[in-house]
Amino acid sequence: MPSDSVLAARVQAVLDIPLHRFLGMELRDPAEPSAGIWFPVAPATQNQAAVLHGGVVYTLMDVASFLALLPSLSDAEHAVTHDLTVSLLRPVAADARVDITGTVLRRGRAVAFMRAEATVDGQVVAAAQVTKSVVRVG
């Protein structure tokens, strides 16, 4: 388990990724980063049909899963995605708020398995299975 200051720095590093800032990603609960993220369906996140682009959902499902896993990673560990399967269940209209939560199903020594859900007004709009390799850093 990372120390509180290391965990906060690692969360901030995720928030500071330029793509995440561009997409408008925010923590659902700044005091509890593993509670997930949210983002607005702004023009930059829409496809030509003026609904949420699936690639944005894929990206942020991965982020929410990583934030859920982060408290279980030591200071010398990082996790990289090696499998991500997302099911888009319904279109999301412009100006909606999308909430994404990740859950760690199992964290082994070398592999972690997560699930993520995206909701709009409490209705599930996408679901994902995420597998990450746990790697040593430093």
Side-chain angles (χ1 to χ4, degrees):
M1 299 282 263
S3 66
D4 289 344
S5 62
V6 169
L7 181 59
R10 291 177 86 176
V11 168
Q12 191 60 52
V14 171
L15 296 174
D16 287 342
I17 292 172
L19 176 61
H20 300 165
R21 286 196 320 262
F22 176 74
L23 295 173
M25 184 191 92
E26 300 279 344
L27 293 175
R28 291 181 68 216
D29 180 355
E32 186 60 47
S34 63
I37 57 176
W38 72 273
F39 69 97
V41 181
T45 66
Q46 297 171 25
N47 62 21
Q48 68 276 16
V51 296
L52 177 60
H53 190 289
V56 173
V57 176
Y58 285 39
T59 298
L60 296 181
M61 292 286 227
D62 187 49
V63 172
S65 296
F66 179 73
L67 290 172
L69 180 63
L70 196 51
S72 75
L73 298 175
S74 75
D75 294 353
E77 292 177 319
H78 187 63
V80 294
T81 302
H82 74 251
D83 189 48
L84 172 66
T85 303
V86 179
S87 296
L88 302 171
L89 305 175
R90 54 183 39 95
V92 178
D95 299 322
R97 173 188 162 132
V98 180
D99 287 276
I100 303 178
T101 56
T103 305
V104 177
L105 301 174
R106 181 176 185 277
R107 200 283 198 195
R109 193 178 40 184
V111 180
F113 301 92
M114 279 84 53
R115 177 185 350 229
E117 276 191 355
T119 60
V120 173
D121 296 327
Q123 186 174 46
V124 177
V125 298
Q129 295 292 120
V130 182
T131 307
K132 291 187 177 281
S133 294
V134 177
V135 296
R136 304 288 297 170
V137 293

